[in-house]
Amino acid sequence: MSDIKCKLLVIGAGPGGYVCAIRAGQLGIDTVIVDRQPPGGTCLNVGCIPSKALIHAADEFYNIAHASDGNLGITVAAPEIDLGKTVAWKDQIVQRLNSGVAGLLKKAKVQFVAGNARFVDGKTVTVQTDDGEKRFRAENVVIATGSAPIELPFLPFGGDILSSTDALALSQVPKSMVVVGGGYIGLEIGTAFAKLGAKVTIIEATGQILPQYDSALTKPVTQRLKKLGIEVQLNTKAQGYAKGLLQTDKGDIPADKVLVAVGRRPRTDSVGIEELSLSMDGAFIDVNSACQSSMRGIYAIGDVTGEPMLAHRAMAQGEMVAERLAGHKISWDKRCIPAVCFTDPEIVTCGVLPGELEDSKVAEFPFIANSRAMTTEREDGFIRVVARANDDAIMGIQAVGAGVSELSAAFTLAIEMGATLQDIAATIHAHPTRSEGFQEAALSALGKSLHI
Ligand code: FAD
Ligand code: NAD
């Protein structure tokens, strides 16, 4: 078997890998990308996109089901949902996007090879395809193999014990669901199933949901979970499952289905990295800020390199690596990586949290004083700014509230462009919008509030 030569081989066509390959192809680099799944990775096939589709369907269902309870003068009969049809709709979106990514790779003259890739050595990779084994010899290899859900030994996936992938493919709404883990996945998917009518209980090992954030940010979400009838048991650990009961250190909880969402581990097992002498950072591949591993010509991007495990971080890393391989002097100089938790209400964080910066000015504006929030019947939450005390440079912005995910771009741009409190306070924000809360938070930090 003769080796197929290329300048760049990318292993994994998730957001990190496919963006890297597209940019490399556009820059004229002879590029091959390998994945055993349709292009798009975890994010497109079983992560970001399917979960946001389910959240949307659940929101629609819940809003219709509860329309008669509100103050808008709307009366509706109780709706029904055929989750099988919802999942088929979600699958169509996924397939459209799979084809879209495949088309973009083709347009950039990148060769997509379907199969499982495995290192032979630092320059040689074999791929098991439907047509047999292919062997590639590459000048540079990018490892973009992503992550997989952590499995608890006493709750192995299968049957009624679901990973996020299983939960996003259910064709019926379970009567009851216990979610193990009150992090991103547990809260997003748990909330969706509660809105669809399941009795949901979330158990979380620490003393707070989303323990990486401060309690002020998570409080509106906790309040909403309660309103949605979701029980949250903090400081509770799962121990096993038998006869429809999830066993925990605080007692048993009835559960038709158990969703285990206790974090994700890097996917390094199937790619044969043991054939290489890579430095590791725990279970993750250790890379420098340019995503170079400890071996020349081998790069790693995305979830396989550790937190934050976010699609847009993987994409930004992928693009940077491609530009560098084309000889462009690009370095990682991002000021912040925004994170959005698609809970109800949504949470956005960019840059530093209060307490992470000494000598800071911190101010917030509550949505209860925002007219747009009133007219959409969602006054919960706030926007908060954290600025450096000596020069008013904005270093962090957080928000919790309905629909605030769409404000993440304005927040990130402000930090990336080095905006000060004065810049945001002096920018005209359209009325009536939730974004006015950003301007008001900046005004408040300057002691110049107008609307509160
Ligand atoms: P991945 O997307 O995991 O892609 C890796 C690819 O490598 C896979 O396609 C895999 O098949 C392939 N692969 C692995 N090993 C091999 C091999 N040996 N040979 C060939 N191919 C291989 N992030 C967000 O930013 N926003 C969200 O809203 C969001 N929601 C999420 C919801 C859920 C339920 C989950 C699970 C994750 C979510 N994430 C979200 C996280 C996001 O999906 C990941 O951060 C992102 O997919 C990481 O991209 P990646 O390119 O590093 O790896
Ligand atoms: P996570 O780290 O967000 O949350 C896991 C939670 O489980 C933590 O709060 C942890 O304390 C808890 N936990 C751990 N062991 C436990 C146990 N035995 N019993 C009870 N609780 C336990 O992990 P996740 O929700 O699985 O998500 C994985 C990653 O996927 C996230 O880090 C995130 O980067 C990414 N993701 C992002 C989005 C988004 O951007 N909107 C959505 C989903 C996932």
Side-chain angles (χ1 to χ4, degrees), residues 36 113-116 127-134:
R36 51 193 178 207
V113 179
N116 195 73
V127 182
Q128 295 299 331
T129 74
D130 287 347
D131 304 327
E133 187 175 283
K134 291 186 176 161

Side-chain angles (χ1 to χ4, degrees), residues 99-311:
S99 311
V101 175
L104 292 170
L105 288 167
K106 204 170 165 189
K107 192 170 150 203
K109 299 194 170 46
V110 174
Q111 187 192 349
F112 178 79
V113 179
N116 195 73
R118 208 175 161 80
F119 279 102
V120 176
D121 60 42
K123 300 273 177 214
T124 318
V125 171
T126 57
V127 182
Q128 295 299 331
T129 74
D130 287 347
D131 304 327
E133 187 175 283
K134 291 186 176 161
R135 209 175 137 102
F136 292 86
R137 182 118 187 113
E139 280 175 43
N140 300 284
V141 182
V142 173
I143 306 173
T145 49
S147 64
I150 292 176
E151 191 165 21
L152 295 172
F154 45 85
L155 286 174
F157 295 131
D160 294 330
I161 311 299
L162 313 176
S163 67
S164 55
T165 302
D166 306 322
L168 293 168
L170 284 177
S171 56
Q172 278 187 332
V173 179
K175 280 209 174 66
S176 59
M177 178 184 270
V178 176
V179 178
V180 182
Y184 275 79
I185 295 178
L187 290 171
E188 288 187 5
I189 299 181
T191 302
F193 276 102
K195 288 183 177 176
L196 292 171
K199 166 70 193 138
V200 174
T201 307
I202 297 175
I203 68 163
E204 164 56 44
T206 69
Q208 188 194 300
I209 56 164
L210 292 169
Q212 65 270 48
Y213 300 131
D214 58 274
S215 58
L217 261 186
T218 57
K219 193 174 168 196
V221 177
T222 300
Q223 287 169 337
R224 183 73 172 159
L225 291 171
K226 200 170 175 192
K227 198 167 173 207
L228 292 168
I230 300 174
E231 205 177 313
V232 180
Q233 295 192 12
L234 301 174
N235 301 307
T236 305
K237 281 191 182 145
Q239 292 176 329
Y241 180 75
K243 297 182 188 151
L245 291 175
L246 180 83
Q247 297 145 350
T248 79
D249 56 351
K250 302 278 166 65
D252 295 349
I253 311 169
D256 290 336
K257 301 282 179 202
V258 176
L259 165 60
V260 180
V262 294
R264 294 178 63 82
R265 62 169 177 83
R267 227 192 262 111
T268 47
D269 36 9
S270 66
V271 78
I273 60 160
E274 61 280 5
E275 303 300 333
L276 314 173
S277 50
L278 287 179
S279 294
M280 302 298 285
D281 177 8
F284 298 99
I285 298 175
D286 188 27
V287 288
N288 66 14
S289 61
C291 291
Q292 265 172 322
S293 76
S294 54
M295 282 178 75
R296 186 193 290 259
I298 298 190
Y299 298 79
I301 57 175
D303 284 9
V304 79
T305 64
E307 293 283 358
M309 292 197 213
L310 298 171

